[in-house]
Amino acid sequence: MHDITGSFGDVLQRQLELASQNFALLKQHGVRAVNVMGAIGSGKTELILRMAEKLRERGLRVGAIAGDVAGDDDYQRFRAAGLPALQINTGDQCHLDAHQVGHALEEFPLGEVDVLFIENVGNLVCPADFPLGADVDLVVISVTEGDDMVRKHPKMFAQTDVVAINKVDLAAFVGVDPERIAADYRKVNPHGRVVFTAAKSGRGVEELLSALGF
Amino acid sequence: MHEYSLAQALLSGLQEHLRQHPIPGRVAKVHVRKGELLSLSEWALKEAWRILTEGTELSGSELVLESVPVRVRCPSCGYEGEARYLTEEGWHIAVPVLSCPRCRGPVEITEGRDLAIVGLSIEERL
């Protein structure tokens, strides 16, 4: 038996290259993009709609890409709110990847938007491994998921720029302390930003936009 | 959770390499570096490899995984090296913290997100 060593290609390197291409394309059109991740039902779509309202009040043009395993419910909500939107169905893949987003960006009317929200598939494990080429990553946690979400997915949060702890108006009803979630996040990511939000009432939305650099 | 798609990507890359650089023998082991930040189960990756290689020239080869620790670079103080880990009770795994162990500033990841084949062990045919 003998060994051959050498480079046979990093399979994730290709994803990084595609993500850089997406980033370059977005910049070429002057678009700032946010990769919105979080569990199913955490309130990603509602929060995007609320942020879009505020950004449009400031005169910015907003669009959205909805990533889901199947269906177009989120896409329909974006369209109903008047946002240019596009649906990506991943066909059982548990995350968006830079390749799929690249194709979506080719079709998307990038010249008509200043801000693009890319809503990832509801999942707290896989999206962390696949950069898309966005300017900033946001993870949405709802208090109804329990106060142990960060401890259950530490690697995801260690790599996330901004966390929105959503549905804080329900915290008392489900016996969850949002501060505990925030404290866990600060431990794994001392440089990240945490914002408490209640998307339905609009609470924290302005602060979240500022954390995302808007 | 995406072990199969990544195992398939590793396999396709290796098959392409072997087409261009044929080797006289059977591949017994495939050595892979796996970054610690990736959420990949070693068990599932090996199982995916076993199933996906069936019927190919790599059938029966063993995937040998080496975990690559996170390394970081600090743009403010110039630190370059291992990351600090959070090892408090209740976290169960040591969590790499992306903050400079020296000056506590924000850091860039230099290693720990890789997934690459770095070597093969070949059994010569007699």
Side-chain angles (χ1 to χ4, degrees):
Chain A
M1 187 123 81
H2 72 279
D3 287 351
I4 304 175
T5 52
S7 173
F8 299 82
D10 188 315
V11 295
L12 289 170
Q13 191 58 38
R14 178 76 188 132
Q15 287 291 330
L16 276 178
E17 286 160 15
L18 291 169
S20 308
Q21 286 172 21
N22 291 347
F23 185 75
L25 183 65
L26 288 161
K27 290 303 119 185
Q28 204 183 312
H29 289 86
V31 177
R32 183 168 170 80
V34 184
N35 176 14
V36 185
M37 297 173 278
I40 296 166
S42 54
K44 297 184 290 299
T45 313
E46 185 70 20
L47 211 43
I48 291 171
L49 289 170
R50 292 303 177 137
M51 288 191 283
E53 271 173 31
K54 298 274 184 198
L55 289 168
R56 291 164 106 190
E57 282 169 18
R58 298 188 200 168
L60 290 166
R61 300 165 305 160
V62 183
I65 291 176
D68 287 289
V69 168
D72 66 354
D73 297 72
D74 293 348
Y75 165 79
Q76 295 297 350
R77 288 175 70 188
F78 292 139
R79 292 297 298 151
L83 304 183
L86 196 88
Q87 175 75 49
I88 300 178
N89 280 134
T90 59
D92 295 339
Q93 185 167 283
C94 48
H95 54 269
L96 288 178
D97 64 36
H99 182 77
Q100 293 164 334
V101 170
H103 283 303
L105 294 180
E106 282 169 16
E107 282 178 46
F108 201 92
L110 289 175
E112 295 171 24
V113 297
D114 305 303
V115 179
L116 180 65
F117 289 103
I118 305 171
E119 182 176 341
N120 219 308
V121 179
N123 178 342
L124 265 180
V125 182
C126 306
D129 289 348
F130 294 87
L132 304 180
D135 291 82
V136 59
D137 287 342
L138 164 68
V139 172
V140 182
I141 309 176
S142 93
V143 295
T144 55
E145 293 160 29
D147 64 12
D148 46 10
M149 288 306 279
V150 175
R151 287 196 301 285
K152 285 179 175 170
H153 305 90
K155 283 187 199 170
M156 172 82 159
F157 289 99
Q159 299 174 72
T160 300
D161 311 314
V162 182
V163 167
I165 300 177
N166 196 26
K167 307 189 191 179
V168 281
D169 47 344
L170 299 181
F173 298 104
V174 291
V176 163
D177 178 7
E179 287 294 347
R180 186 160 183 209
I181 306 174
D184 281 342
Y185 173 59
R186 289 190 189 104
K187 277 185 200 166
V188 295
N189 193 339
H191 308 292
R193 295 276 306 269
V194 193
V195 182
F196 294 118
T197 57
K200 286 276 184 203
S201 69
R203 178 176 160 191
V205 174
E206 281 289 355
E207 202 190 328
L208 179 57
L209 284 170
S210 134
L212 292 169
F214 292 106
Chain B
M1 262 199 332
H2 35 268
E3 285 81 2
Y4 277 82
S5 56
L6 291 178
Q8 183 60 55
L10 287 171
L11 177 59
S12 307
L14 182 55
Q15 284 178 314
E16 182 57 33
H17 179 88
L18 292 175
R19 260 192 295 278
Q20 289 170 14
H21 309 92
I23 46 161
R26 188 186 79 88
V27 177
K29 289 178 184 170
V30 177
H31 302 271
V32 170
R33 276 166 63 89
K34 180 185 85 74
E36 189 186 15
L37 281 170
L38 300 178
S39 295
L40 288 179
S41 146
E42 290 203 2
W43 178 86
L45 205 53
K46 287 181 173 193
E47 184 64 5
W49 184 261
R50 188 184 66 75
I51 291 167
L52 292 169
T53 53
E54 271 174 24
T56 74
E57 70 274 33
L58 290 149
S59 176
S61 64
E62 184 197 348
L63 204 62
V64 182
L65 296 165
E66 177 203 350
S67 181
V68 182
V70 178
R71 290 182 70 84
V72 296
R73 182 194 302 130
C74 176
S76 33
C77 81
Y79 172 87
E80 211 168 328
E82 284 177 15
R84 178 168 67 87
Y85 286 81
L86 188 67
T87 49
E88 284 172 39
E89 215 176 309
W91 291 81
H92 300 288
I93 60 169
V95 184
V97 179
L98 301 178
S99 176
C100 179
R102 197 157 67 192
C103 77
R104 306 274 151 172
V107 290
E108 295 157 4
I109 303 165
T110 57
E111 270 186 62
R113 298 192 53 88
D114 10 18
L115 186 68
I117 296 175
V118 290
L120 304 172
S121 296
I122 312 293
E123 259 172 16
E124 284 85 0
R125 289 202 182 92
L126 300 174

